[in-house]
């Protein structure tokens, strides 16, 4: 075919297509699924076309990957203002407020005379946030003592404050994150305040049984005392005087009638850090359990002491084993408080 003949053919074809563009024949195939018109390559070149007829210049070709489209509507808010996913971000949930509750929270990381208890301050700050948000403790009822503001005198003053202010029928949460120490002679357990010295425990530290006794003297209906420390003298969050043997026989701490004692480990074990080294292993799971409501095992909208223990204990034991140590959280319940299943730690979680 000569060049002149080809040009005449293209012009005629274009006129024919223009005349038919408004008359779409009926078809069982939807119009947007009809195959594109195929023209001989030499005719397309002669007509000055750079793409096959029917192709769109704005369509990005399919790359053949396996991504799945997200059909959820886009959140118009800036990324910084969007609510966090509580399961991914570890966000605290809001449970029922407890207007009659009080919290004394102590976190000592930097000590005056003994090595640091890594992550203890952060543990206490996170617990305080959870106390306000999830446990619903009123802000004016929260006392937070950190580092050099947690001397023996500071802690003693706040225990007296609880005795003077907690009304009859109220509840107290006490949380301690820091070093514990055993008396090498008697095996008695002490919590070590900021200015504590393991060589002079009787003068500078606070015996656990005496702290629990001070809590028993309040008017509270019940007390949940939590200790992320250890008393074995074997390392971790436990300290000994220089020259003493690394492990002493620790006498079990006996709680009082209206106090629950939840400890990070048993007397002969080490209370160690979480895998990321940012805080205590026990505190990590404690805050996850209550703060996100994960310990509500039966889904009834509340967390009992038994559920809390059953959720925390296997996780702490498993992660401690991976670090080649033994750590077993323990619970003691005062004789006036009934069974662990009857002691409700927090409530009001969405079902």
């Amino acid at each position: 075919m000569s060049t002149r003949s080809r040009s005449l053919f293209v012009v005629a074809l274009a006129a024919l297509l223009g005349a038919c563009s408004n008359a779409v024949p009926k078809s069982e195939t939807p119009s947007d699924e009809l195959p594109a018109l195929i023209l001989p390559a030499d005719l397309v070149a002669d007509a000055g076309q750079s793409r096959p007829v029917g192709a769109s210049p704005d369509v990005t070709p399919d790359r053949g990957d396996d991504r799945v489209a997200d059909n959820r509507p886009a959140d118009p808010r800036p990324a910084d203002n969007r609510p966090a996913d509580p399961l991914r971000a570890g966000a605290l949930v809001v449970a029922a407020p407890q207007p009659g509750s009080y919290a004394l929270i102590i976190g000592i990381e930097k000590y005056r005379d003994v090595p640091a208890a890594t992550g203890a301050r952060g543990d206490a700050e996170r617990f305080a946030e959870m106390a306000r948000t999830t446990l619903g403790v009123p802000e004016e009822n929260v006392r937070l003592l950190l580092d050099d503001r947690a001397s023996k005198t500071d802690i003693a003053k706040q225990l007296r404050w609880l005795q003077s202010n907690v009304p009859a029928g109220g509840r107290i949460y006490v949380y301690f994150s820091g070093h514990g120490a055993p008396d090498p002679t008697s095996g008695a357990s002490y919590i070590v305040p900021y200015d504590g010295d393991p060589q002079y425990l009787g003068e500078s530290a606070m015996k656990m049984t005496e702290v629990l006794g001070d809590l028993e003297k309040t008017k509270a209906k019940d007390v949940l005392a939590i200790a992320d420390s250890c008393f074995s003298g074997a390392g971790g969050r436990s300290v000994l005087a220089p020259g003493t043997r690394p492990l002493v026989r620790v006498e079990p701490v006996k709680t009082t009638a209206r106090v629950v004692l939840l400890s990070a480990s048993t007397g002969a074990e080490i209370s160690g850090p979480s895998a990321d080294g940012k805080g205590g292993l026990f505190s990590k799971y404690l805050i996850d359990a209550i703060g996100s409501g994960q310990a509500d095992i039966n889904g009834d909208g509340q967390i009992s002491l038994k559920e809390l223990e059953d959720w925390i204990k296997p996780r702490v034991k498993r992660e401690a084993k991976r670090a080649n140590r033994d750590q077993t959280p323990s619970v003691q319940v005062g004789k006036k408080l009934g069974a662990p299943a009857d002691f409700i730690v927090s409530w009001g979680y969405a079902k």
Side-chain angles (χ1 to χ4, degrees):
M1 181 181 294
S2 66
T3 301
R4 177 179 174 79
S5 299
R6 288 178 178 175
S7 298
L8 291 173
F9 179 78
V10 171
V11 171
L13 181 59
L16 177 62
L17 290 174
C20 297
S21 61
N22 295 324
V24 180
K26 292 184 178 180
S27 171
E28 294 299 324
T29 304
S31 59
D32 59 351
E33 294 182 14
L34 289 172
L37 179 64
I38 301 177
L39 295 178
D42 57 345
L43 290 180
V44 172
D46 281 347
Q49 300 277 357
S50 61
R51 297 181 302 273
V53 175
S56 171
D58 300 322
V59 175
T60 302
D62 185 2
R63 290 185 290 271
D65 58 22
D66 57 356
R67 291 175 294 180
V68 178
D70 187 350
N71 295 320
R72 294 174 296 179
D75 192 330
R77 290 171 289 182
D80 292 343
N81 294 331
R82 296 175 194 170
D85 182 343
L87 295 180
R88 293 184 180 181
L92 298 172
V93 300
V94 178
Q98 301 183 34
S101 62
Y102 290 71
L104 172 57
I105 303 160
I106 305 161
I108 312 171
E109 182 162 351
K110 296 180 179 179
Y111 279 83
R112 192 182 69 183
D113 299 315
V114 298
T118 303
R121 179 186 178 112
D123 288 342
E125 290 173 332
R126 285 188 290 274
F127 188 92
E129 183 183 0
M130 184 187 71
R132 300 181 186 103
T133 303
T134 305
L135 297 177
V137 181
E139 178 66 38
E140 62 271 20
N141 294 356
V142 176
R143 293 292 185 271
L144 176 60
L145 307 181
L146 300 172
D147 289 346
D148 60 354
R149 303 300 298 177
S151 67
K152 181 178 181 180
T153 301
D154 292 325
I155 297 172
K157 287 193 300 184
Q158 296 307 322
L159 289 171
R160 300 297 178 268
W161 180 82
L162 290 174
Q163 292 173 356
S164 301
N165 288 275
V166 177
R171 165 171 287 186
I172 299 173
Y173 295 97
V174 176
Y175 172 87
F176 176 81
S177 181
H179 282 311
D183 185 306
T185 303
S186 67
S189 298
Y190 287 78
I191 63 171
V192 182
Y194 165 75
D195 52 349
D197 186 339
Q199 295 189 79
Y200 301 96
L201 288 176
E203 293 77 17
S204 67
M206 307 180 78
K207 188 181 291 188
M208 275 293 295
T209 54
E210 294 179 358
V211 172
L212 298 177
D214 285 338
L215 294 171
E216 183 71 27
K217 295 175 184 177
T218 68
K219 298 176 184 177
K221 178 182 178 182
D222 49 43
V223 179
L224 176 56
I226 302 167
D228 191 350
S229 56
C230 56
F231 307 97
S232 63
R237 290 189 175 177
S238 182
V239 289
L240 278 175
T244 48
R245 54 198 174 99
L247 183 63
V248 300
R249 181 179 178 82
V250 179
E251 292 297 321
V253 178
K254 294 182 179 180
T255 191
T256 54
R258 291 180 290 118
V259 178
V260 170
L261 177 60
L262 176 56
S263 302
S265 60
T266 62
E269 295 176 338
I270 297 172
S271 177
S274 58
D276 59 13
K278 294 180 179 179
L281 174 59
F282 168 75
S283 288
K284 168 191 171 183
Y285 284 113
L286 172 72
I287 294 170
D288 282 350
I290 301 173
S292 66
Q294 293 183 66
D296 181 13
I297 297 173
N298 62 11
D300 64 353
Q302 59 187 15
I303 296 175
S304 69
L305 183 63
K306 185 178 188 307
E307 286 179 308
L308 187 62
E309 181 184 16
D310 289 347
W311 195 91
I312 293 174
K313 184 180 288 187
R315 288 165 172 81
V316 171
K317 289 180 66 175
R318 181 175 61 243
E319 192 166 321
K321 280 290 186 184
R322 291 172 182 162
N324 198 33
R325 71 172 189 275
D326 292 322
Q327 182 176 344
T328 310
S330 64
V331 174
Q332 292 186 54
V333 184
K335 60 184 179 181
K336 290 186 177 181
L337 298 178
D342 299 326
F343 186 98
I344 306 304
V345 177
S346 54
W347 55 91
Y349 294 94
K351 297 182 182 181

